[in-house]
Amino acid sequence: MTSSAIAVSGLRKAFGDKVVLDGIDLEVKAGSIFSLLGPNGAGKTTTVNVLTTLMKADGGTAKVAGYDVATETKKVREVIGVTGQFAAVDELLTGQENLRLMADLKRMRSEESRKRTTRLLERFDLVESAQKMVSTYSGGMRRKLDLAMTLIGDPQVIFLDEPTTGLDPRSRRTMWEIIRELVADGVTIFLTTQYLDEADHLADRVAVLHQGRLVAQGTPGELKRQVPGGHVRLRFADVSGLDAAARLLTGSTRDDQDLTLRIPGDGEVKSLRVLLNKLDEHSIDAEEFSVHTPDLDDVFLALTGRSTETEAAK
């Protein structure tokens, strides 16, 4: 695989008069996690469908593992795995039978199929439930089995389209651990998610898709630094301490009821040291001290004009 696992240039797609992808460019480094964020209807799933050869683009180019998705479709399909929004498992089969079925579709020899199935059942902690019907599985178990089926062909690039939707917090954390292990093994992950904390915890790079265009790209840290709102919060034991600090720190915002002072800042060590030294020089003691920086929710709202709460309600 090339150093760029995914390379997209000027990708366009429309359905009738509705432009879904309006010339997007992105690059995903091999062995990394790339997360695509955006409101419902922004074009995330369409992007995944084009990159996984399930849909043809109207213009632009896209390569996955060095293969052109339009002209080398078969090669692309040989090196990718796809886990969609809903677990694609057969409830009338056991977990083991689902994996063996996928191995048969990959035309694996019987011995290799048995070894690969056994290894994946162990890796995803599904050994005890391997002989049980999938209809008895919990949501978290189904998602793990679905991802295990994706891995049966040992893909270089895996597309995860909202893989933890509907999972409880513990199952989500388990899925995160599995995703990190895959990347540690050299697999590239292309992730779409509605959970911004998921992208924040997992992704090496994030892109925000809005109205068919990429409005921002970068590491989670880089995107958060673009959004104003970072501040230091000081809490004082009494009003006299709050008064003294408010006089000293011009541009701050006070809350007399909570005895707190909010000072705009970037949260960097150098600026924090300057602030603390300034308080110390004037013998002003704060009872509590905390640093608040924008998160990806703030980035999402600033770039799309919508909150994640609004999206979840749709």
Side-chain angles (χ1 to χ4, degrees), residues 5-27:
I6 301 171
V8 174
S9 178
L11 199 65
R12 298 191 304 277
K13 181 65 182 177
F15 298 99
D17 295 333
K18 182 175 175 57
V19 178
V20 180
L21 300 177
D22 193 10
I24 68 171
D25 304 310
L26 61 85
E27 186 173 353

Side-chain angles (χ1 to χ4, degrees), residues 93-155:
L93 299 178
T94 66
Q96 183 181 66
E97 287 170 342
N98 268 275
L99 286 167
R100 295 297 293 269
L101 173 61
M102 188 59 65
D104 289 343
L105 292 173
K106 293 285 186 180
R107 298 182 178 179
M108 282 186 187
R109 288 178 297 183
S110 179
E111 182 62 20
E112 177 63 20
S113 171
R114 185 188 64 77
K115 290 181 179 179
R116 188 71 60 88
T117 296
T118 299
R119 186 162 65 246
L120 287 170
L121 288 170
E122 292 173 349
R123 180 172 191 174
F124 286 86
D125 195 24
L126 292 171
V127 174
E128 292 185 5
S129 55
Q131 305 303 325
K132 296 179 180 178
M133 301 284 283
V134 173
S135 58
T136 66
Y137 282 22
S138 66
M141 291 169 64
R142 291 181 187 219
R143 295 305 283 175
K144 288 197 294 183
L145 177 61
D146 193 25
L147 185 52
M149 290 168 66
T150 299
L151 293 177
I152 200 78
D154 200 19

Side-chain angles (χ1 to χ4, degrees), residues 173-249:
R173 293 281 180 176
T174 299
M175 188 62 71
W176 290 2
E177 292 174 6
I178 292 170
I179 290 171
R180 291 192 183 100
E181 289 172 1
L182 291 172
V183 175
D185 290 341
V187 176
T188 303
I189 303 290
F190 188 102
L191 169 73
T192 74
T193 179
Q194 291 285 6
Y195 300 118
L196 301 193
D197 64 322
E198 186 162 87
D200 205 354
H201 278 87
L202 292 176
D204 298 297
R205 290 185 65 81
V206 173
V208 181
L209 186 62
H210 183 49
Q211 296 181 344
R213 297 184 177 183
L214 289 179
V215 294
Q217 289 192 65
T219 66
E222 288 170 346
L223 295 188
K224 286 184 280 188
R225 284 194 290 272
Q226 294 178 19
V227 178
H231 64 277
V232 175
R233 185 170 178 268
L234 302 174
R235 181 188 293 275
F236 297 90
D238 50 46
V239 176
S240 62
L242 176 61
D243 288 339
R247 286 193 298 269
L248 176 66
L249 304 171

